[in-house]
Amino acid sequence: MATSTSDYYRVLGVGEKASADEIKKAYRKLAKQYHPDANPGNPSAADRFKEVGEAYGVLSDPEKRKQYDSMRRLGAFGFGGGRPSSGGPRRPSGSPPPPGGGPGESFSFDDLSGFGGLGDLFSSIFDKGRKPGETQPGGPAKGQNVEYVVEISFEAAVKGEKISITVPVTEECTTCAGSGAAPGTRVVRCPECRGSGNVSFGQGTFAVTRPCPNCLGKGTVPETPCSSCAGSGTVRQNRKIQLTVPAGVDSGSKIRLSGQGEKGRGGGPPGDLIITFRVKPHRFFRREGLDVHVTVPLNIAQATMGTTLRVSTVEGKKVQLKVPQGTQNGTRFRIRGMGVKKDGAVGDQFVEVKVGVPEKLSEEEREALERFAELSGMRY
């Protein structure tokens, strides 16, 4: 089977300085070569396929690759003979190793604290198959939280409304009731970890225990995989949810729906659904906090002699705005209390005027403008 004692660079057949494209190219070639569909009934090909996938999963991620290289340089993987095992004595965390070490001697990731937190780095690379909140292989585990982005209209964000959304979540397979085994077949003890859910790898005085990659820490595997979920015990489905958008939300606002995430494992509680709102831009209104900004056009006559405008607001009604004579381009007017309302607070609406200049004048208009300029003492 694929184990973390493998040298991932050798697994993919690339050098330590291989580029991301070279790693991807090597992975695609090997994955195609060892894919189970191309090698029916060949367990060694399936193991090789898992090993290639595990190697690519680490080396294709820049951060994981950096962490892996750091541990590799320390010789933490026991290349050249270390083999995984599911047993062996363990010493208490933090206690010194016996003189000269010994076969099967192992320790927890806490023992790596002296290496500047490399235990956490190592764990982030190989902590596979463990759900949030799960403390023991196969035990009750809280379901994963689901994060989902919902795009809403400007009006819905300001006033609030009820909407219906469809969220993709991982649900328990109804065919096998989450066991992963085909109906009428059994779930058996994992042959790789002998049911412990963990394997140890390394050599000499350095051996690390991690979740078994064959059973993903469960300790059991299906005798015959369920055809509906391929033995995973879960399926991907769309869940329809009725959601109330709170009035006053803005892009980036989040709400948490408790218990609406993915179902827990082994009787564990479900996770939460975390909704992030993204507000569509409006053709007229622009929002800054609780304030609303709009731009309205004025012609030269309106700006010069003054006028009264009817301006739309986010409340859906129009208000009268008096523009005094001599108003300059870019002047802003405030309409108090006509902004966004949220949690008892309310913003204002700001109206900026944009004075437009005629692009073309008739002969009569030109003569009139020249006469105006002459009377006003304007130079042109």
Side-chain angles (χ1 to χ4, degrees):
M1 60 168 255
T3 73
S4 297
T5 52
S6 303
D7 183 335
Y8 287 156
Y9 291 103
R10 291 182 183 177
V11 169
L12 295 183
V14 297
E16 296 179 20
K17 299 185 182 298
S19 65
D21 287 341
E22 290 172 333
I23 290 173
K24 181 185 291 186
K25 184 177 180 181
Y27 165 70
R28 287 179 174 175
K29 178 181 177 181
L30 294 172
K32 183 177 181 180
Q33 179 180 351
Y34 293 106
H35 195 282
D37 291 346
N39 301 271
N42 186 348
S44 62
D47 290 343
R48 180 74 167 126
F49 181 75
K50 290 181 184 179
E51 189 177 40
V52 168
E54 182 178 298
Y56 181 70
V58 172
L59 299 186
S60 63
D61 185 306
E63 187 61 28
K64 288 184 179 181
R65 182 179 180 183
K66 180 180 178 181
Q67 296 165 1
Y68 173 78
D69 287 344
S70 297
M71 295 300 296
R72 189 173 182 272
R73 283 192 293 271
L74 290 174
F77 300 102
F79 297 142
R83 295 187 58 80
S85 67
S86 57
R90 298 187 55 150
R91 60 183 174 85
S93 175
S95 63
E105 176 67 26
S106 62
F107 59 93
S108 73
F109 277 91
D110 295 336
D111 296 322
L112 291 178
S113 59
F115 289 92
L118 287 177
D120 291 338
L121 300 181
F122 199 80
S123 179
S124 69
I125 297 178
F126 295 110
D127 196 7
K128 301 176 182 177
R130 190 67 58 88
K131 298 280 188 179
E134 183 176 354
T135 57
Q136 296 183 11
K142 181 179 179 180
Q144 289 184 321
N145 292 337
V146 175
E147 297 192 20
Y148 193 69
V149 177
V150 176
E151 191 173 62
I152 57 176
S153 68
F154 186 91
E155 292 83 359
V158 171
K159 300 178 182 179
E161 66 176 30
K162 290 185 178 181
I163 61 175
S164 178
I165 61 175
T166 301
V167 181
V169 295
T170 301
E171 301 276 16
E172 186 177 85
C173 176
T174 56
T175 303
C176 63
S179 70
T185 65
R186 301 177 303 154
V187 173
V188 298
R189 187 177 69 170
C190 175
E192 300 294 344
C193 64
R194 301 187 185 95
S196 70
N198 296 312
V199 292
S200 297
F201 52 87
Q203 63 180 6
T205 60
F206 196 108
V208 181
T209 299
R210 301 304 302 140
C212 173
N214 187 53
C215 64
L216 300 180
K218 296 178 182 178
T220 58
V221 293
E223 186 178 48
T224 302
C226 170
S227 60
S228 298
C229 63
S232 68
T234 59
V235 292
R236 199 71 171 164
Q237 293 183 341
N238 289 327
R239 184 191 299 167
K240 193 171 184 179
I241 296 175
Q242 298 296 322
L243 173 68
T244 299
V245 179
V249 298
D250 202 356
S251 286
S253 297
K254 296 177 183 287
I255 61 172
R256 179 185 291 264
L257 302 180
S258 180
Q260 292 293 320
E262 296 186 353
K263 291 184 177 180
R265 260 180 35 186
D272 300 333
L273 173 61
I274 302 171
I275 298 292
T276 302
F277 294 106
R278 183 167 61 212
V279 182
K280 298 178 184 177
H282 195 275
R283 62 180 181 83
F284 183 60
F285 299 110
R286 179 173 53 86
R287 180 175 170 179
E288 293 183 7
L290 296 182
D291 294 329
V292 174
H293 296 256
V294 299
T295 301
V296 296
L298 286 183
N299 59 43
I300 290 179
Q302 289 173 316
T304 303
M305 296 184 289
T307 188
T308 299
L309 302 176
R310 284 172 56 81
V311 182
S312 298
T313 66
V314 292
E315 292 293 325
K317 57 185 179 182
K318 293 180 180 290
V319 297
Q320 299 277 354
L321 175 66
K322 187 175 182 179
V323 179
Q325 64 181 18
T327 294
Q328 302 298 305
N329 182 57
T331 300
R332 291 202 310 168
F333 300 91
R334 173 183 288 183
I335 306 176
R336 296 187 180 276
M338 284 297 172
V340 179
K341 296 179 175 66
K342 182 181 181 182
D343 299 331
V346 60
D348 301 324
Q349 179 164 323
F350 292 87
V351 181
E352 181 177 339
V353 297
K354 183 176 182 181
V355 180
V357 178
E359 296 182 1
K360 293 182 180 181
L361 295 174
S362 67
E363 189 63 30
E364 186 177 359
E365 290 170 338
R366 183 178 181 83
E367 290 176 359
L369 188 57
E370 288 175 346
R371 177 64 177 160
F372 171 74
E374 183 180 338
L375 292 174
S376 303
M378 295 181 181
R379 300 180 61 185
Y380 61 94

